[in-house]
Amino acid sequence: MTSPIVRRKSRQVKIGHVRVGGDAPIMVQSMTNTDTADVQATIDQVFALANAGSEVVRITVNSPEAAAAVAKIREGLDKLHCNVPLVGDFHFNGHKLLRDYPDCAKALAKYRINPGNVGRGEKHDTQFTQMIEIAIRENKPVRIGVNWGSLDQDLMGRLMDENSKLVQPKSAQEVMRDALVASALESAALAEKIGLPGDMICISCKVSDVQDLIAVYTDLAAKCDYPLHLGLTEAGMGSKGIVASSAAMAILLQRGIGDTIRVSLTPEPGGDRTKEVIVAQEMLQTMGLRQFTPLVTACPGCGRTTSTFFQELAAKTQSYLRAQMPVWRESYPGVEAMSVAVMGCVVNGPGESKMANIGISLPGTGELPVAPVYEDGKKTVTLKGDHIAEEFQALLDAYVLRTYGGKDVPRTTAELAEPAERKVIPVVGR
């Protein structure tokens, strides 16, 4: 039996109505890639990300036009009854924008400050102080977000000089890791010295390399109790980005490190930004750390499953479950933990289906054209004919109503009434 994951103890920070750290669930967040000055485009994308499950959304605030748009974006989201907290991502001129656009400072739920680009020399502490003072005045938490690509060069130079005097100097990579951690902790200490309470500070130290991320956060976790934001700063595109993010963050999460995560995927051209939210949710859910939406177990297919029917049914069932969650979450508590199996032949099909809350074992090549359905380990019905997909969806809906809604719903398709307005899963080609 595996040991349960014991999370690192951390302070708890409130970002609007969302809690992070302490005993709060590991939070999923994302970031827009629209021009923030384009109010409607940004509202649309924030709304989509929030609807997909991003509990906090970060927006770039890099210009006077962007700063002037923030309050309008917040107002537009409120009209849509979308209360997702907005985090402002500031660089270089953040102290000026927060000062010159007080509506922006008020509308944001948190400020993200990168200590590596708030100014060099004397300007660094002055401009950092200005941003922290505004956060104190507006009662806003701050993320000290260090990034290896924009590391404080004065700090890096100081640590390199100190390292060169050691009897056994560290490698340049090790010094870089030390500099990331030092930058975050020194900046957090300065923020507290200025007057920002320690329970209004989150920290991140983002890099692009998996092993660097694991090493940096392991060190950081041992040296502070601030909530930690996990994520590769540039994970990449497609499967590479998903694999790299999962490989790095899963190891840290297994060690109990991490209070909020973001999977920074480069979208495919014209791709959907919400994919990174789904990947983050599925990472946490498959590790048993949170439940977001029922997940479908399906076999990979082999020579026994030359038909694509089970693949199409598995994909469309997963899409249907995810699409239903905004409604189901409100009406059927616990449904997010439901397990569903769509299997392709008699070898593992019945066994996997019995282990799911509800599962179907479709016929493989050369097998009898029947599909037994199992609910909570017991076979309830055998489906046949050309409408297996529609009938299975009806059984799935009935199972949710009966199990999570407490309603007396029949268990067989013969007894189920077919509401005219109910959506069905279109499956082509068998």
Side-chain angles (χ1 to χ4, degrees):
M1 181 179 294
T2 57
S3 300
I5 295 173
V6 179
R7 286 181 60 192
R8 159 186 168 273
K9 292 182 180 179
S10 67
R11 313 179 195 197
Q12 187 167 99
V13 174
K14 287 191 70 177
I15 307 168
H17 66 276
V18 175
R19 298 175 301 131
V20 60
D23 61 354
I26 298 169
M27 186 257 285
V28 171
Q29 60 179 285
S30 185
M31 184 177 185
T32 59
N33 61 358
T34 57
D35 179 355
T36 306
D38 187 335
V39 173
Q40 192 58 53
T42 304
I43 289 173
D44 291 345
Q45 191 172 86
V46 171
F47 184 80
L49 290 168
N51 198 47
S54 184
E55 293 157 293
V56 166
V57 177
R58 185 159 43 113
I59 60 176
T60 299
V61 187
N62 61 334
S63 67
E65 294 78 13
V70 171
K72 298 175 185 176
I73 293 166
R74 179 70 274 166
E75 182 181 356
L77 290 167
D78 291 342
K79 288 180 180 178
L80 294 171
H81 305 289
C82 178
N83 65 349
V84 65
L86 296 178
V87 177
D89 196 56
F90 293 98
H91 301 280
F92 308 114
N93 58 352
H95 59 295
K96 293 181 180 179
L97 296 177
L98 285 170
R99 179 195 67 202
D100 296 345
Y101 294 88
D103 286 348
C104 169
K106 292 180 185 298
L108 294 170
K110 185 174 75 169
Y111 310 152
R112 187 266 181 155
I113 304 174
N114 183 341
N117 56 31
V118 296
R120 297 196 63 176
E122 293 182 359
K123 289 184 177 181
H124 176 281
D125 287 0
T126 300
Q127 294 174 182
F128 181 83
T129 297
Q130 290 173 4
M131 297 183 76
I132 296 299
E133 287 176 343
I134 293 172
I136 295 169
R137 186 185 72 211
E138 299 294 341
N139 195 32
K140 307 292 185 179
V142 164
R143 169 156 71 97
I144 307 293
V146 183
N147 190 304
W148 79 282
S150 53
L151 190 56
D152 185 332
Q153 292 305 301
D154 292 336
L155 173 62
M156 186 66 179
R158 187 189 85 203
L159 293 185
M160 290 293 285
D161 289 342
E162 292 174 0
N163 183 63
S164 67
K165 298 173 184 177
L166 297 176
V167 176
Q168 293 183 320
K170 298 179 180 180
S171 68
Q173 186 177 33
E174 290 174 308
V175 177
M176 183 271 288
R177 292 172 176 174
D178 290 345
L180 285 163
V181 174
S183 178
L185 296 181
E186 289 180 12
S187 298
L190 177 57
E192 288 202 55
K193 183 179 179 181
I194 295 165
L196 187 68
D199 62 357
M200 294 181 69
I201 299 173
C202 301
I203 285 180
S204 66
C205 288
K206 290 194 172 184
V207 296
S208 295
D209 180 80
V210 169
Q211 296 301 332
D212 282 337
L213 193 82
I214 295 168
V216 166
Y217 274 89
T218 300
D219 187 21
L220 187 61
K223 292 180 176 177
C224 74
D225 64 351
Y226 298 110
L228 300 181
H229 169 121
L230 297 189
L232 290 172
T233 186
E234 289 106 10
M237 183 179 287
S239 60
K240 186 269 180 185
I242 294 172
V243 170
S245 293
S246 300
M249 285 193 273
I251 290 172
L252 291 166
L253 292 168
Q254 186 68 28
R255 295 175 180 174
I257 298 171
D259 301 288
T260 176
I261 68 171
R262 188 219 169 172
V263 177
S264 301
L265 295 181
T266 303
E268 303 287 344
D272 190 345
R273 189 70 164 180
T274 62
K275 184 176 182 180
E276 65 178 43
V277 178
I278 294 170
V279 172
Q281 289 180 333
E282 291 183 350
M283 185 192 308
L284 294 176
Q285 186 154 347
T286 54
M287 291 186 70
L289 292 165
R290 281 193 73 178
Q291 303 289 344
F292 294 96
T293 191
L295 296 181
V296 174
T297 297
C299 61
C302 65
R304 298 180 63 91
T305 56
T306 52
S307 168
T308 61
F309 180 57
F310 89 93
Q311 299 165 330
E312 293 159 359
L313 182 57
K316 289 178 171 62
T317 299
Q318 184 66 78
S319 296
Y320 176 72
L321 293 170
R322 190 170 291 281
Q324 292 297 100
M325 276 310 295
V327 175
W328 283 357
R329 192 179 290 112
E330 300 297 324
S331 304
Y332 308 117
V335 70
E336 63 275 4
M338 180 176 69
S339 59
V340 180
V342 178
M343 303 300 293
C345 80
V346 76
V347 175
N348 293 321
E352 288 280 2
S353 297
K354 288 177 184 177
M355 293 180 69
N357 293 122
I358 179 169
I360 185 170
S361 180
L362 295 163
T365 305
E367 295 176 8
L368 293 174
V370 296
V373 174
Y374 299 83
E375 295 183 14
D376 298 321
K378 297 180 180 179
K379 187 169 78 169
T380 57
V381 66
T382 299
L383 304 182
K384 304 177 183 178
D386 296 328
H387 301 287
I388 288 176
E390 293 83 354
E391 291 174 354
F392 181 63
Q393 183 177 309
L395 291 170
L396 184 59
D397 289 340
Y399 182 87
V400 171
L401 288 169
R402 183 172 57 251
T403 306
Y404 302 99
K407 298 181 180 180
D408 186 16
V409 181
R411 289 181 177 272
T412 67
T413 52
E415 298 172 303
L416 283 170
E418 183 74 25
E421 70 275 11
R422 182 175 59 78
K423 298 177 182 178
V424 296
I425 304 173
V427 179
V428 295
R430 286 188 54 185

